[in-house]
């Protein structure tokens, strides 16, 4: 068995051609998120990870036109407003809204995440990011982002402080002793007097500690420093690496780093990003993939915009028919390095003409794709897949009502949830 998650967001979805009328603004309202969470839970997924950003992209061609004309990473809704709707409408699935450690103060984060964990009876968490874009820094009053590795140094301390605040209460501090007139045992709540390189906090937290002890953390750092942060601090690592050998090596490296930090080998799950192309017949699925390839070749700007977003490099200025350039960045290093490796020997036009397909290309009927996923996991050794899917109903249904039952028939994903808490289900296998 392997784990399954959905990677999506609370922003503009596939609005152009797939929806009509009010569909282009359906993402503004809670019902879409509630329906998606219920479908994903019914399908037996472990979690939904909600991506986010705190700026309107303007690297590509030096302005915001591409982002705003295409609804590309803008506009967005606040995840921590939408996540409670999803959590209170479900009973088992974990919800991980993205949270920037760089600009979200630890005390505020500790309160917010403890509250999410309580309202969901132990299914809260956060996808931690260090905010790679200078525009985010400028939106929060800084001139530019700190150095890549320094952001992770601060992230390590951020996690330590948030955990210290949760631990400022003993698990049994709430006594509700009516005879003695004592609601909380004072001896079991204490200041933390945390003083580090980046953060200070007196404590204690003025919220109850989370039901899980610590809500689940996920993270996508793929650089050497990012992997070390993940292996030390998080419960779920997602990655865009491609190919069986690379996937296996990535997982083995994260596990080894986790053990070096004193953790159990299976305490940090690795989930590989995929984007299945599904249809009722193999021929129809291959035709869908062919149309996606044709669309990408006809509109390379979509991929150029995506590459510019993550790398901080304006690919709109470069010669499309020249070889892919050498790339260095203070933004998302692992994604930029992944672009460099995948594009070896190709021109920029050739690389930008090919749509992303994830760790492995999955094209076919639900049963055929389920078989492929099982074979891949057997070779890699674990731990699961994170399916990238825009939050429109037809696309979600193909995954939750088509692929998931096919996986379950093969015994590859869970058939029900053994535990109440998100972390316990994640660590079950």
């Amino acid at each position: 068995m392997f784990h399954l998650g959905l990677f999506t967001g609370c922003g503009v979805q596939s609005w152009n051609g797939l929806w009509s009328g009010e569909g282009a603004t359906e993402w503004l309202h809670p019902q879409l998120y509630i329906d998606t969470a219920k479908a994903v839970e019914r399908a037996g997924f472990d979690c939904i990870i909600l991506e986010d950003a705190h700026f309107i992209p303007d690297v590509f061609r030096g302005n915001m036109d591409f982002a705003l004309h295409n609804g590309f990473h803008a506009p967005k809704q606040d995840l921590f407003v939408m996540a409670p709707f999803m959590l209170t409408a479900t009973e088992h699935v974990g919800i991980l809204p993205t949270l920037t450690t760089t600009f979200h103060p630890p005390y505020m984060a500790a309160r917010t995440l403890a509250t999410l964990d309580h309202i969901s009876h132990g299914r809260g968490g956060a996808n931690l990011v260090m905010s790679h874009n200078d525009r985010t820094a400028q939106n929060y009053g800084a001139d530019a982002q700190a150095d890549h590795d320094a952001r992770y140094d601060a992230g390590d301390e951020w996690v330590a402080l948030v955990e210290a605040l949760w631990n400022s209460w003993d698990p049994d501090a709430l006594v509700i002793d009516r005879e003695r007139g004592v609601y909380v045992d004072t001896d079991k709540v204490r200041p933390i007097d945390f003083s580090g390189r980046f953060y200070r906090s007196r404590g204690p937290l003025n919220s109850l500690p989370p039901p899980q002890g610590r809500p689940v953390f996920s993270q996508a750092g793929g650089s050497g420093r990012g992997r070390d942060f993940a292996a030390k601090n998080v419960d779920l690592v997602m990655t865009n690496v491609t190919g069986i050998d690379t996937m296996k090596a990535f997982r083995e490296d994260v596990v080894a780093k986790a053990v070096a930090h004193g953790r159990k080998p299976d305490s940090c799950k690795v989930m590989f990003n995929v984007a299945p192309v599904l249809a009722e017949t193999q021929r129809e699925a291959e035709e869908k993939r062919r149309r996606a390839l044709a669309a990408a070749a006809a509109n390379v700007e979509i991929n150029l915009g995506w590459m510019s977003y993550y790398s901080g490099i304006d690919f709109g200025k470069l010669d499309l028919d020249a070889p892919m350039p050498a790339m260095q960045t203070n933004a998302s290093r692992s994604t930029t390095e992944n672009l460099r490796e995948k594009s070896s020997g190709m021109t920029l036009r050739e690389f930008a003409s090919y749509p992303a397909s994830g760790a492995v290309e999955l094209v076919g009927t639900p049963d055929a794709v389920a078989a492929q996923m099982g074979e891949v996991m057997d070779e890699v050794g674990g731990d699961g897949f994170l399916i990238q899917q825009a939050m429109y109903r037809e696309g979600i249904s193909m995954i939750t009502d088509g692929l998931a039952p096919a996986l379950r028939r093969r015994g590859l994903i869970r058939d029900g949830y053994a535990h109440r808490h998100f972390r316990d289900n994640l660590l079950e296998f």
Side-chain angles (χ1 to χ4, degrees), residues 165-218:
L165 287 165
W166 287 330
N167 292 331
S168 64
W169 289 63
D170 290 342
D172 58 349
L174 182 65
V175 293
I176 316 180
D177 188 332
R178 292 178 175 85
E179 291 185 3
R180 291 191 298 134
V182 176
Y183 191 70
V184 173
D185 186 337
T186 308
D187 294 334
K188 296 181 178 181
V189 183
R190 67 201 68 80
I192 59 170
D193 296 318
F194 187 101
S195 182
R197 175 184 167 194
F198 301 97
Y199 300 105
R200 296 176 62 191
S201 181
R202 178 187 181 275
L205 192 67
N206 69 338
S207 301
L208 289 171
Q212 294 182 95
R214 194 193 84 163
V216 172
F217 286 149
S218 67

Side-chain angles (χ1 to χ4, degrees), residues 86-380:
M86 303 170 80
L87 286 166
T88 55
T90 53
E91 296 181 3
H92 305 288
V93 69
I95 306 294
L96 297 166
T98 291
L99 185 153
T100 168
T101 62
T102 309
F103 300 109
H104 203 122
Y107 192 93
M108 182 184 297
R111 277 175 46 113
T112 300
L113 295 177
T115 301
L116 285 183
D117 212 36
H118 276 286
I119 67 171
S120 63
H121 303 288
R123 293 180 290 117
N127 176 47
L128 303 182
V129 298
M130 283 72 206
S131 290
H132 69 272
N133 195 280
D134 284 345
R135 289 292 185 252
T136 303
Q138 291 159 7
N139 285 341
Y140 284 96
D143 292 330
Q145 287 288 15
D147 175 73
H148 176 274
D149 288 1
R151 299 199 301 268
Y152 278 104
D153 293 342
D156 279 330
E157 190 172 292
W158 186 97
V159 172
L161 174 50
V162 169
E163 289 184 342
L165 287 165
W166 287 330
N167 292 331
S168 64
W169 289 63
D170 290 342
D172 58 349
L174 182 65
V175 293
I176 316 180
D177 188 332
R178 292 178 175 85
E179 291 185 3
R180 291 191 298 134
V182 176
Y183 191 70
V184 173
D185 186 337
T186 308
D187 294 334
K188 296 181 178 181
V189 183
R190 67 201 68 80
I192 59 170
D193 296 318
F194 187 101
S195 182
R197 175 184 167 194
F198 301 97
Y199 300 105
R200 296 176 62 191
S201 181
R202 178 187 181 275
L205 192 67
N206 69 338
S207 301
L208 289 171
Q212 294 182 95
R214 194 193 84 163
V216 172
F217 286 149
S218 67
Q219 202 253 341
S223 65
R225 183 64 183 88
R227 292 189 201 189
D228 186 72
F229 172 89
K232 179 181 179 181
N233 296 301
V234 311
D235 310 284
L236 189 163
V237 183
M238 52 180 163
T239 175
N240 280 318
V241 297
T242 56
I244 300 297
D245 291 343
T246 309
M247 294 164 68
K248 188 173 183 178
F250 183 96
R251 181 174 182 270
E252 289 173 349
D253 183 55
V254 170
V255 169
K257 282 179 165 59
V259 171
H261 282 294
R263 300 179 64 186
K264 295 180 179 179
D266 61 350
S267 63
C268 185
K269 304 300 183 182
V270 177
M271 297 180 73
F272 300 95
N273 294 345
V274 292
V277 180
L278 299 166
E280 292 185 6
T281 68
Q282 186 69 32
R283 183 176 179 177
E284 288 173 337
E286 291 171 356
E287 175 60 20
K288 285 175 71 173
R289 180 61 175 162
R290 187 199 65 76
R291 291 199 303 270
L293 288 168
N299 188 6
V300 296
E301 288 209 343
I302 295 297
N303 266 351
L304 294 176
W306 180 86
M307 292 155 61
S308 299
Y309 171 80
Y310 280 104
S311 68
I313 298 165
D314 184 1
F315 283 90
K317 292 181 176 179
L318 304 180
D319 183 352
L320 282 173
D321 296 309
M324 282 285 287
M327 292 177 279
Q328 291 185 330
T329 183
N330 189 42
S332 180
R333 284 189 185 170
S334 61
T335 301
T336 304
E337 176 63 17
N338 199 26
L339 292 176
R340 185 194 65 77
E341 291 179 357
K342 287 181 179 180
S343 63
S344 178
M346 303 172 73
T347 66
L348 178 55
R349 185 189 304 276
E350 287 170 338
F351 183 69
S353 296
Y354 195 79
S357 59
V360 290
E361 191 164 294
L362 301 171
V363 181
T365 65
D367 194 59
V369 169
Q372 288 177 266
M373 293 171 75
E375 291 165 2
V376 170
M377 273 298 107
D378 282 344
E379 292 191 59
V380 174

Side-chain angles (χ1 to χ4, degrees), residues 15-55:
W15 64 275
N16 192 0
L18 289 171
W19 279 348
S20 61
E22 293 185 359
T25 57
E26 192 174 6
W27 62 275
L28 289 164
H29 307 290
Q31 196 60 50
L32 175 64
Y33 306 97
I34 292 170
D35 293 345
T36 298
K38 286 181 174 180
V40 164
E41 181 172 84
R42 186 175 65 249
F45 282 49
D46 286 75
C47 62
I48 300 174
I49 297 179
L50 299 169
E51 64 83 21
D52 199 13
H54 290 244
F55 66 100

